[in-house]
mmCIF file of all heavy atoms in Angstrom:
data_model
loop_
_atom_site.group_PDB
_atom_site.id
_atom_site.type_symbol
_atom_site.label_atom_id
_atom_site.label_comp_id
_atom_site.label_asym_id
_atom_site.label_seq_id
_atom_site.Cartn_x
_atom_site.Cartn_y
_atom_site.Cartn_z
ATOM 1 N N VAL A 523 69.364 86.134 76.412
ATOM 2 C CA VAL A 523 70.311 85.392 75.668
ATOM 3 C C VAL A 523 71.684 86.095 75.868
ATOM 4 O O VAL A 523 71.749 87.388 75.726
ATOM 5 C CB VAL A 523 70.008 85.630 74.053
ATOM 6 C CG1 VAL A 523 71.158 84.956 73.320
ATOM 7 C CG2 VAL A 523 68.722 84.869 73.740
ATOM 8 N N ALA A 524 72.678 85.439 76.227
ATOM 9 C CA ALA A 524 74.027 85.941 76.452
ATOM 10 C C ALA A 524 74.927 85.556 75.365
ATOM 11 O O ALA A 524 75.082 84.364 75.137
ATOM 12 C CB ALA A 524 74.559 85.533 77.830
ATOM 13 N N VAL A 525 75.784 86.471 74.807
ATOM 14 C CA VAL A 525 76.771 86.210 73.809
ATOM 15 C C VAL A 525 78.105 86.241 74.467
ATOM 16 O O VAL A 525 78.444 87.388 74.993
ATOM 17 C CB VAL A 525 76.603 87.092 72.583
ATOM 18 C CG1 VAL A 525 77.806 86.768 71.582
ATOM 19 C CG2 VAL A 525 75.321 87.054 72.005
ATOM 20 N N VAL A 526 78.853 85.171 74.619
ATOM 21 C CA VAL A 526 80.088 85.048 75.396
ATOM 22 C C VAL A 526 81.258 84.939 74.561
ATOM 23 O O VAL A 526 81.381 83.841 73.850
ATOM 24 C CB VAL A 526 79.981 83.892 76.497
ATOM 25 C CG1 VAL A 526 81.278 83.898 77.265
ATOM 26 C CG2 VAL A 526 78.620 84.086 77.278
ATOM 27 N N PRO A 527 82.204 85.889 74.519
ATOM 28 C CA PRO A 527 83.506 85.742 73.851
ATOM 29 C C PRO A 527 84.350 84.775 74.630
ATOM 30 O O PRO A 527 84.750 85.283 75.756
ATOM 31 C CB PRO A 527 83.938 87.166 73.666
ATOM 32 C CG PRO A 527 83.349 87.863 74.885
ATOM 33 C CD PRO A 527 81.985 87.255 75.107
ATOM 34 N N ILE A 528 84.756 83.839 74.042
ATOM 35 C CA ILE A 528 85.598 82.726 74.807
ATOM 36 C C ILE A 528 86.980 82.874 74.731
ATOM 37 O O ILE A 528 87.710 82.222 75.451
ATOM 38 C CB ILE A 528 85.116 81.396 74.446
ATOM 39 C CG1 ILE A 528 85.385 81.050 72.954
ATOM 40 C CG2 ILE A 528 83.684 81.126 74.671
ATOM 41 C CD1 ILE A 528 85.171 79.574 72.705
ATOM 42 N N GLY A 529 87.563 83.861 73.927
ATOM 43 C CA GLY A 529 88.988 84.245 73.796
ATOM 44 C C GLY A 529 89.671 83.073 72.979
ATOM 45 O O GLY A 529 90.787 82.830 73.124
ATOM 46 N N GLY A 530 89.086 82.623 71.871
ATOM 47 C CA GLY A 530 89.651 81.730 70.931
ATOM 48 C C GLY A 530 89.016 80.373 71.022
ATOM 49 O O GLY A 530 88.494 79.896 71.999
ATOM 50 N N ALA A 531 89.090 79.661 69.835
ATOM 51 C CA ALA A 531 88.476 78.388 69.716
ATOM 52 C C ALA A 531 88.903 77.316 70.587
ATOM 53 O O ALA A 531 88.250 76.392 71.126
ATOM 54 C CB ALA A 531 88.551 77.914 68.222
ATOM 55 N N GLN A 532 90.170 77.458 70.971
ATOM 56 C CA GLN A 532 90.786 76.339 71.899
ATOM 57 C C GLN A 532 90.156 76.417 73.206
ATOM 58 O O GLN A 532 90.235 75.377 73.972
ATOM 59 C CB GLN A 532 92.235 76.617 72.094
ATOM 60 C CG GLN A 532 93.191 76.514 70.773
ATOM 61 C CD GLN A 532 93.167 75.155 70.293
ATOM 62 O OE1 GLN A 532 92.844 74.284 70.944
ATOM 63 N NE2 GLN A 532 93.486 75.089 68.845
ATOM 64 N N ALA A 533 89.405 77.423 73.573
ATOM 65 C CA ALA A 533 88.789 77.592 74.918
ATOM 66 C C ALA A 533 87.476 76.994 75.025
ATOM 67 O O ALA A 533 86.820 76.848 76.060
ATOM 68 C CB ALA A 533 88.733 78.974 75.460
ATOM 69 N N LEU A 534 86.910 76.485 73.688
ATOM 70 C CA LEU A 534 85.500 75.950 73.735
ATOM 71 C C LEU A 534 85.305 74.907 74.775
ATOM 72 O O LEU A 534 84.167 74.878 75.450
ATOM 73 C CB LEU A 534 85.195 75.608 72.405
ATOM 74 C CG LEU A 534 83.710 75.082 72.172
ATOM 75 C CD1 LEU A 534 82.716 76.048 72.553
ATOM 76 C CD2 LEU A 534 83.557 74.539 70.863
ATOM 77 N N GLY A 535 86.212 73.914 74.827
ATOM 78 C CA GLY A 535 85.881 72.761 75.679
ATOM 79 C C GLY A 535 85.541 73.190 77.113
ATOM 80 O O GLY A 535 84.826 72.563 77.681
ATOM 81 N N GLY A 536 86.389 74.027 77.675
ATOM 82 C CA GLY A 536 86.239 74.553 78.953
ATOM 83 C C GLY A 536 84.901 75.135 79.198
ATOM 84 O O GLY A 536 84.177 74.915 80.287
#
Side-chain angles (χ1 to χ4, degrees):
V523 178
V525 182
V526 180
I528 62 176
Q532 299 291 342
L534 178 64

